[in-house]
Amino acid sequence: MTSSSERSGYVAEWCPNCDTEIEMAWDVETLGYKAYCPVCGKRLMLCDACQHTPDGEYEDDCDYNTVKDTCKYNRNEEFDYLLKYAEEADLSEEVCRLQFKSLWTAYCLHRNLDADTLQYDLACRDLWEKVEEKDTACWGDFDSFENYLCEYLV
């Protein structure tokens, strides 16, 4: 496979979740360094694209933090709070779900995120991963989760 730095508009990365080599059309300048694996659907950090300059030169400046699961291209304290809330709150309680939806709505308004845009969907998927891990019966799938969260935004 041609490296992502050799093919403009393409990225290549190993998915750590399903151990599959992924190559896809992707513009990191517009879409960022985080995507979702087309095989397993889990988050895919585009570290190879981050570690190479446009002319293909390798840079050893990765600052990925395994404890916070973040890096220079994936930082946001407000979103980190949302992730922690999704992980720790008892979302089977209506008051917690309403608080969660309010926090999400505020986050989207602060970041000018419109529903049904790529950046919105990517952030919502990250939240869904945390909620899905808890095996909550509040939402049966990602679509019902996303529809619930965007109620105040559309």
Side-chain angles (χ1 to χ4, degrees):
M1 179 185 312
T2 308
S3 78
S4 56
S5 60
E6 294 173 8
R7 296 185 58 202
S8 179
Y10 282 83
V11 294
E13 197 69 54
W14 279 97
C15 176
N17 302 293
C18 66
D19 201 31
T20 303
E21 188 174 21
I22 304 299
E23 182 177 341
M24 61 187 172
W26 193 266
D27 178 6
V28 293
E29 295 299 318
T30 303
L31 302 172
Y33 290 85
K34 180 173 54 175
Y36 285 86
C37 176
V39 176
C40 70
K42 298 289 185 183
R43 188 182 69 193
L44 182 65
M45 296 297 290
L46 305 176
C47 299
D48 186 62
C50 172
Q51 290 293 289
H52 289 88
T53 64
D55 62 356
E57 188 175 324
Y58 177 74
E59 295 180 330
D60 188 20
D61 65 348
C62 180
D63 70 346
Y64 180 75
N65 182 319
T66 56
V67 174
K68 292 184 176 182
D69 189 28
T70 188
C71 73
K72 61 189 166 206
Y73 291 111
N74 185 24
R75 281 197 184 114
N76 185 301
E77 288 181 19
E78 187 177 18
F79 191 70
D80 288 345
Y81 181 83
L82 269 167
L83 289 171
K84 188 173 179 90
Y85 190 90
E87 189 174 8
E88 295 178 358
D90 182 0
L91 295 174
S92 66
E93 296 286 333
E94 182 180 13
V95 68
C96 293
R97 287 192 309 274
L98 290 172
Q99 179 69 29
F100 185 54
K101 185 181 347 186
S102 297
L103 290 167
W104 171 249
T105 301
Y107 171 78
C108 291
L109 293 173
H110 295 155
R111 308 285 284 183
N112 293 320
L113 284 180
D114 293 324
D116 295 326
T117 61
L118 179 63
Q119 294 303 326
Y120 176 93
D121 290 343
L122 290 174
C124 200
R125 278 218 177 264
D126 283 346
L127 289 175
W128 172 245
E129 283 183 12
K130 292 294 183 188
V131 169
E132 188 179 34
E133 287 173 7
K134 293 170 58 171
D135 194 33
T136 182
C138 301
W139 303 284
D141 57 16
F142 174 71
D143 289 335
S144 63
F145 175 74
E146 183 179 30
N147 287 335
Y148 176 79
L149 287 184
C150 76
E151 180 181 359
Y152 300 144
L153 296 168
V154 291

